[in-house]
Each structure stands twice: as structure tokens, then as C-alpha cells.
Amino acid sequence: MMTPKTKPRNILFITSDQHRADCYGFAGRRRIKTPHLDALAEAGTRFDACITPNLVCQPSRASMLTGMLPLTHGVVDNGIDLPSSTGDQGFAGALARAGYDTAFIGKAHFSTANTFSARHTPECYNSCFELGPGWQGPYMGFEHVELTVLGHLFEHLAPTDPLKGMHYERFLYSRGLPMEVFELWKTATQPITGAAQTWPSALPVAWHSSTWCADRAIRYMQKRDPSRPFCMWVSLPDPHHPFDCPEPWASLYHPDEVDLPREPHKDLEIRPWWHRASLERPPSGGDEAAKQFRSKLSRAPDQTEAQLREMTANYYGMISLIDHSVGRMLSALQEEGLDEDTLVVFSTDHGDLLGDHGLYLKGPTPYEALLRVGLLMRGPGVPAGKVITDPVSTLDLAATFAEVGGAPLHSDAQSRSLLAVASGTESRDHAHSEWFVSEARCGVPLELQTVRARGWKCTIERVSGAGELYDLREDPDEMRNLFDDPAGATLRREAEEMIHARPGPVLKERLPIIGMA
């Protein structure tokens, strides 16, 4: 624990969306430019074995907010709303009750955007406009809120009359005639290969969500109440698909020069049964629009090498634009005289498969590309240039922020502060991730529980009892499943004990699925 003399007063928490842990310049695996994030890592501590508590957006974000695992807060898949009573008990609500000025800017995704019917929440695309242009919170414990509801534009969600959306959508469509702005976004600035959901967008970078989030965060820092400490979560919606990077960032990386997966071939024959089933079975349940969304936008067809290269170059460009936006926010923090008194944290909700094992986007295949995420921390009392290899989770950020503000979390939270881990006075030996996959997502219901330990990882599908176990020290590309191999018997027993000993309560009744994402 940090001493009072070295304890930060403010918290700036920045996240990206669907950002692989190897897609940072400092990671050394890929030729990607992230100078501001590299500098943040050098000036602070990075957690090299951090995992997400879930492999998709809503559950992982609910866990970061509440400090609870998905089976505890109940958001076990996308399309399930986090109850406001639970969200208000997260770190933002705790800090607000302790006197903090709390703010959220960007993509929240604590509630469902693409709902089957109007839900009348700030994030429901079908009804959020009812709140009016003057609404700025409160929401899930955050007193000041500026949202991008969709996070990402989609071709099937063209502008409507009246316009739907919240703060970012209103900003975007105020730039000109809404349909003209939408058509500009859809326009490719150069020839494309037909890569899945990929094109260099003609949308001006000044109108892009990453730019808007940074602009609004900077304005908040400039206009906030200086008599109160602040906690601001700035949530950038990229590099989540569609891969629609604007210029000039879309041209920053040439497709011929990007990095390809070491294991690019689909190898379902050596994987547990649900890998194939989740790819090949049609989504079931819900309405026809939901099935089309899951079939066409949540999955990607096999890509040629040229298409994967184009997709990767666009993905890299989106990340470099994020890095630029982070640099702008950190500069503003310094200009406002706040940098020496602020804990700065950067992370993401989950990764992206990006062609690993012939797979794309995300799904119930907990490879390191999806499970492991970057986590950077800089601030008073946080060691500089330190790399932590203990397995931790973004779940632990809630307790970390609560410790900074001296505010207790809900007693059901499994989150544990990372400040002692950063200082070297505490160590961790494993972290949990869990996902109860709806059959509406991939045609088969799954109950997946994963434990990531020092150098190995195990996932068990609870209904069938099937599983996968990889020794990441000897097999970093996850090619040899030891789950039913005598060579992995000792690790399997240890994993089963860890999963059985999962901390915290489990919600007794399932929360309903009320939308697609």
C-alpha cells in the first residue's frame, strides 16, 4: 500500500476496445507505433500477464466498474443490462460518495445499445434520445456523462428521423446533413481488397470518436471543479470492428509490412468441440435481426492473406490514432498541473483474434489474443519502468481506484487493489475469467470458466466437462492441448481446484437477454 506522501489524489482511467496485448510498441512483437503508450509504460508499471474477466464487451466492462466477476454481477454475455443498483455500487459510485467528481466519456456499454425493444436507458439506441440533449448523467455512479452510444457505426444503422444516439452521435450528425455524414463514413479513400468489415474511411479525423473522446476529456479537465478530486473514465471505442480507420492514420501502415500470425491456419480438429460448434452453428433464439447481426457482424469469413494484411494495417492505424489521443489527454493533464497528483491507467476490455488460428474478431475461444490485455499504470508511488509478470485482472482496477479514494467497494466484489502488487509487497498466482455464452450468439449455450496462472492456462466447459489446458512457457502459441494428456494431469488438478475455489457469490437468477449487444 502506498504511503500518504505518495498517494495520488486524482484518477484518469483510459480504455480502448478490443485491443490486443501484443499491439503496443513496447511489446516488441509487432511493428506498431504507440509512442505515448510506450512512454506511459516506461514512466510507470505495466502488468504483462493481465487478463480480462470476460472475452466480450458488456461483461468485462461491468466487471471493471463493479469489481465483480460476471457470474456475480450477472452480466454473463453481451445483450444483458447491468442493473443500475449494481452499477451504482461500483468504483465510480463509491468515489462519488467519498466526495470525488466522477465523469465518464465515450463508450460505456454497461447497458445494451441494440435492444429488441425500447428500454429507456441512456444507452438504448432505440430510446436514449428521450433524455434530451441536455442530459449529462448521473449514470452508474458517474456524475458527469458524455456517451457515444453505438461506439461504432454500422451500415444497417443509418441515420433516422428523429436522430437516435447520444452526445457523440449528435455531434457527428451536426457536422452536416446526417445521411451525407453517414455516406462519407462508408466511403473508402483508396481501393480495398474486400477484407471483412474493413475500409479506410473518408470520415474526417476531426469527427472521429477517438478525437471526440479526447476533446471532451480535455474540456472536462479544464472546466472541472478544482476543489474536488476527480475520477474520469475515458473509453475510446476503437480498434473494435468495423475496421474503419480515417485518414491519414489509415495510410500509416502498408499492408505488405504488417505482422501476420505465427499460427494462421484454422485447426479445429485439435480443439475442444465447442470451438467448431460456435463457428458453424447458426445463432438461435431472439428475432431475425438479432440472428443476422450475430451471423454477419459478430463473425468474419475466412480471409485471404491480402485481406488479413489490409485488416491488420487498418487495425494498427486505429491503435496509433488512439495513442495520439492518449498523448493529447496526457499533455492536457500536464498543462493543467495535474499530472504529478494523478494515477493514470490505460487498459482495454478484451483482445481480438486478428487471424490467429485462422479466426477473427472474438468468440468463445480463449486464446491469449483475446484473454490477455495490456495494463499500464503511472502515478505517485508507482514504480517506473517495472514489468509485473503476476497474473492479474482488469477486475482489480475497481479496488485499486477505491483504495486511492479511500472508498470501500461492495462486499461482494472480488477485486483486489494492484497498488501493493506494483510496489512488490504482494504477489498473485492466478486470475479468473468466465463466460456463460448464449445460444443466441453462436447456436450453442456454453458455460466457460478459465483460470490463468503463472505460465499456464486452463478453460473448462462446465456442462460437457470438456476443456483445454496449455503450458504457455513451452507452448506460447497454444498448439498442444494437455487437458486429457497425462503430461498435463498435475496442472489440470491444480486448475480444477482453482476454478472450484472461485471467490465470491454467484447470482442465483439469470438476468434476461434484452438485445444483441
Side-chain angles (χ1 to χ4, degrees), residues 1-10 342-343 377-383 400 403-405 417-423 425:
M1 186 177 296
M2 296 187 292
T3 64
K5 290 182 179 180
T6 61
K7 186 175 181 179
R9 183 169 183 260
N10 308 306
T342 300
L343 179 71
M377 184 181 297
R378 185 200 77 186
V382 178
T400 305
E403 181 182 340
V404 169
S417 174
L418 295 171
L419 298 179
V421 181
S423 68
T425 58

Side-chain angles (χ1 to χ4, degrees), residues 19-24 26-27 48 50 348 351 368-369 372-374:
H19 186 166
R20 290 172 60 107
D22 61 1
C23 285
Y24 296 80
F26 61 75
D48 200 47
C50 181
T348 193
E368 290 289 275
R372 192 168 71 91
V373 296

Side-chain angles (χ1 to χ4, degrees), residues 253-266:
Y253 300 94
H254 194 283
D256 291 345
E257 297 174 352
V258 299
D259 313 281
L260 295 179
R262 289 190 294 258
E263 295 294 342
H265 304 295
K266 197 175 290 183

Side-chain angles (χ1 to χ4, degrees), residues 66 131 174 243 354 363 378 382 447 485:
T66 65
L131 292 170
S174 71
F243 306 116
L354 204 63
R378 185 200 77 186
V382 178
E447 297 185 5
D485 190 322

Side-chain angles (χ1 to χ4, degrees), residues 109 141 161 327 329 401 415:
H109 215 178
D161 185 18
M329 287 184 273
F401 300 153
S415 180

Side-chain angles (χ1 to χ4, degrees), residues 462-482:
R462 299 197 329 175
V463 177
S464 65
E468 51 187 334
L469 169 66
Y470 300 106
D471 184 337
L472 299 173
R473 291 161 295 198
E474 300 295 326
D475 180 23
D477 294 318
E478 302 170 81
M479 294 301 295
R480 184 186 177 191
N481 183 5
L482 299 175

